[in-house]
Amino acid sequence: SEAVDRIYNEYIGNAENRAQVRDGLLDAIGDPLFVLSAIEVARYHRDAGNPVYFYEFQHRPSSATGVVPEFVKADHADEIAFVFGKPFLAGDV
């Protein structure tokens, strides 16, 4: 269908190697699950008159070395350690 073709072309159509196909597929899955829903919630808050700040955390923590694949910049919730610090990770809270 035309919709499938458009989605394919947006996320994978220009891929030149397997890594780019993988990254495109991850974006195609992640955008509707995380990005679109986050934008929707941000718009509700904005429409209610509240200030909204939107960010994408991409800093790869050193604890990821040897644990997650190198292409992963930051996993879901990795920013928690940077916001709350090591005591949070050590279970001291």
Side-chain angles (χ1 to χ4, degrees), residues 35-47:
V35 178
L36 294 178
S37 56
I39 290 171
E40 184 176 19
V41 170
R43 287 180 177 161
Y44 289 142
H45 286 283
R46 176 204 61 198
D47 293 348

Side-chain angles (χ1 to χ4, degrees), residues 25-92:
L25 182 59
L26 290 173
D27 286 343
I29 294 168
D31 282 356
L33 291 174
F34 292 102
V35 178
L36 294 178
S37 56
I39 290 171
E40 184 176 19
V41 170
R43 287 180 177 161
Y44 289 142
H45 286 283
R46 176 204 61 198
D47 293 348
N50 297 303
V52 175
Y53 304 93
F54 201 82
Y55 70 95
E56 179 179 9
F57 188 81
Q58 291 189 355
H59 179 75
R60 182 180 170 85
S62 59
S63 61
T65 304
V67 179
V68 297
E70 288 297 319
F71 68 86
V72 176
K73 293 182 182 92
D75 270 329
H76 182 65
D78 274 349
E79 75 277 10
I80 300 297
F82 293 88
V83 172
F84 295 107
K86 179 128 172 83
F88 182 79
L89 289 177
D92 294 338

